[in-house]
Amino acid sequence: MSDQDLAGLMSRVALGDRGAFGKLYSATSPKLFAVCMRMMRDRHEAEEALQEIFIRVWQKARQQVSGSSPPEAWLVTVARNHCIDRLRAKKPFAVPVDEAFDLADDAPGPEKLAERRSEAGRIETCMEELDFDRAEAVRGAYLDGLSYQELADKYSVPLNTMRTWLRRSLLRLRDCLGT
């Protein structure tokens, strides 16, 4: 959905149009959920955060309409800031020094880091075997959280073609990685 379409929906939401709010939710919730998942790292927490984000969007839509930022950027900023607030609220303010001193370091050791680098190198080598646009579509879907429809729009292909691209690319990656 274009920024102009989103801006139109936001204007209608600012006026209290529930139908426009439903359309806005349908158009933007997958991307905002991906942002929440990436930050919260817990599906339940991400779902709760998404609900609260859309309540905030409903309440503050007028501020965005009067602002100068594109609607999608504003929505992602609201989501990001809300997730940060939730994460900060969950963190303890202080840990007694005696407890902190005896904790083992959870950071991966040199062996684990080398293993991860090796695995990342194998994945990157396999990604290079894909056509450039197919590899970028895989990165967009699985690293950036873009929906199939967003990717189809980006590459100007039908939705089912994008699904086929991704399915075939994943099969090639699986074969390349030997898993």
Side-chain angles (χ1 to χ4, degrees), residues 86-110:
R86 284 183 66 104
L87 290 170
R88 284 181 181 159
K90 288 171 53 175
K91 285 187 178 179
F93 288 104
V95 176
V97 173
D98 294 336
E99 289 178 27
F101 183 73
D102 292 333
L103 293 177
D105 186 8
D106 290 336

Side-chain angles (χ1 to χ4, degrees), residues 17-119:
D17 184 339
R18 291 178 186 263
F21 184 73
K23 289 178 184 176
L24 180 71
Y25 180 87
S26 295
T28 60
S29 62
K31 183 167 192 154
L32 297 181
F33 183 69
V35 170
C36 294
M37 276 296 293
R38 183 173 280 166
M39 294 184 71
M40 303 302 292
R41 299 179 191 265
D42 177 79
R43 184 173 190 84
H44 179 71
E45 288 284 331
E47 289 170 348
E48 283 187 12
L50 186 65
Q51 287 179 357
E52 293 168 1
I53 289 163
F54 274 98
I55 291 170
R56 200 174 277 182
V57 167
W58 176 258
Q59 294 169 341
K60 300 192 183 268
R62 290 182 191 197
Q63 291 177 0
Q64 192 285 324
V65 171
S66 64
S68 61
S69 66
E72 188 174 20
W74 181 78
L75 290 167
V76 170
T77 300
V78 169
R80 183 180 171 282
N81 290 343
H82 182 74
C83 289
I84 289 170
D85 291 345
R86 284 183 66 104
L87 290 170
R88 284 181 181 159
K90 288 171 53 175
K91 285 187 178 179
F93 288 104
V95 176
V97 173
D98 294 336
E99 289 178 27
F101 183 73
D102 292 333
L103 293 177
D105 186 8
D106 290 336
E111 182 179 351
K112 191 68 170 174
L113 289 173
E115 192 177 299
R116 285 182 185 171
R117 278 193 297 274
S118 173
E119 187 67 20

Side-chain angles (χ1 to χ4, degrees), residues 119-143 164-179:
E119 187 67 20
R122 286 183 57 219
I123 292 170
E124 193 55 42
T125 299
C126 291
M127 290 290 283
E128 289 172 0
E129 291 182 14
L130 298 175
D131 293 338
F132 179 77
D133 53 353
R134 302 319 194 261
E136 288 302 308
V138 168
R139 284 184 183 98
Y142 298 102
L143 297 179
T164 302
W165 280 15
L166 292 171
R167 173 101 176 108
R168 288 179 180 167
S169 296
L170 291 177
L171 289 172
R172 285 187 61 197
L173 288 172
R174 183 185 71 187
D175 290 343
C176 178
L177 292 169
T179 55

